[in-house]
Amino acid sequence: CLRTLAAILKETLKDALVPGAGVLKKLLAPLDAVLEGFYNAILLHHFDSHHYTSPYSEDTNNLISFIDLLEALLASRIELDLPLRCQRILFLKVSYVLNVISSSIPYVIKKKFILLLKKCVLYKSREDAKSGSLFSQAPSLCEDMLALSNAVLQVVNLTWLNQIPLSGKSSYFGSSEAAPGHDSQGSSDQTVLRALSLVLLKALEFKIHNSATEAEIK
């Protein structure tokens, strides 16, 4: 079901002849609460269980399908002036994703979630993309970006980054030790390192831009 819904969303966005907004609203509005329930149930799961020890298990594949659906929902958001809750949930409840990334789930899942976060911080509404605005003028997107920025900065201010591996086998973020049998140059996943750094920088940038007081900025 997750794969089918993600495929329909992607095909709808590709089809220039179909009025995307109308189709997406008809498709997603009845599923809005259901998809939020899925998000809560799936991502609040105990990911340290034995079901997720292998990157090839059925549970891991199901989770990858869910990440693909979240990515399609994010991409489909640009079609609607007032996004549905299921298109905003990734921003408003990003703490669930941050917890999954720091769990003992296979590295392939962590990487997909980190790259999805990168797409979130780079997301622009259609109007912002046209105007070249650095910061969103759309109220709902501004609210969502602020929620995401606050959650990211909150966990980074603790020890979250120290729990994030930079490859399937190598050292952790902030560690100077290379993985056994690897040289220090090639031991870390540069894609993940860049994505994590960008997420943090964009969260800081957005928070500073939307902070009311100097004390809050500090």
Side-chain angles (χ1 to χ4, degrees):
C1 288
L2 294 173
R3 288 192 193 106
T4 302
L5 185 54
I8 291 169
L9 283 172
K10 287 173 185 174
E11 287 304 314
T12 304
L13 292 172
K14 273 189 212 167
D15 195 342
L17 300 174
V18 174
V23 173
L24 287 170
K25 212 156 195 176
K26 276 185 187 174
L27 175 68
L28 294 176
L31 295 172
D32 206 19
V34 176
L35 289 172
E36 183 172 0
F38 267 21
Y39 186 92
N40 295 341
I42 291 172
L43 297 188
L44 277 178
H45 188 73
H46 186 62
F47 287 107
D48 297 325
S49 73
H50 66 280
H51 297 291
Y52 295 93
T53 50
S54 166
Y56 309 107
S57 70
E58 186 180 352
D59 294 274
T60 302
N61 281 329
N62 289 340
L63 192 52
I64 287 172
S65 295
F66 186 61
I67 297 170
D68 290 340
L69 175 58
L70 290 175
E71 195 173 329
L73 285 168
L74 176 66
S76 71
R77 178 177 176 147
I78 201 166
E79 295 290 337
L80 301 181
D81 294 331
L82 290 171
L84 296 164
R85 178 82 179 174
C86 63
Q87 294 170 305
R88 302 180 64 193
I89 195 73
L90 190 55
F91 293 85
L92 299 177
K93 294 188 177 179
V94 72
S95 58
Y96 293 19
V97 170
L98 298 172
N99 288 338
V100 174
I101 291 171
S102 61
S103 73
S104 61
I105 205 155
Y107 181 73
V108 63
I109 300 286
K110 293 175 189 270
K111 183 169 182 174
K112 278 187 79 74
F113 267 128
I114 288 167
L115 295 177
L116 182 57
L117 285 181
K118 177 184 150 186
K119 287 186 177 179
C120 286
V121 298
L122 293 176
Y123 178 82
K124 284 186 183 299
S125 69
R126 188 164 280 165
E127 291 71 27
D128 293 330
K130 281 179 187 170
S131 67
S133 170
L134 283 176
F135 296 100
S136 177
Q137 306 306 311
S140 63
L141 184 56
C142 195
E143 182 187 329
D144 294 355
M145 286 297 291
L146 195 54
L148 184 143
S149 299
N150 283 334
V152 167
L153 294 174
Q154 195 174 2
V155 295
V156 168
N157 210 26
L158 302 171
T159 58
W160 184 79
L161 277 179
N162 296 328
Q163 300 169 56
I164 311 303
L166 289 179
S167 84
K169 293 180 180 176
S170 96
S171 55
Y172 282 65
F173 199 106
S175 168
S176 57
E177 294 179 17
H182 291 72
D183 61 21
S184 57
Q185 295 280 324
S187 62
S188 61
D189 185 333
Q190 296 300 306
T191 304
V192 169
L193 180 59
R194 283 194 299 270
L196 273 172
S197 301
L198 182 64
V199 168
L200 178 53
L201 286 169
K202 295 296 277 185
L204 271 171
E205 181 185 30
F206 198 84
K207 178 67 177 171
I208 289 169
H209 184 78
N210 288 277
S211 293
T213 65
E214 194 177 338
E216 199 178 9
I217 290 172
K218 284 181 181 177

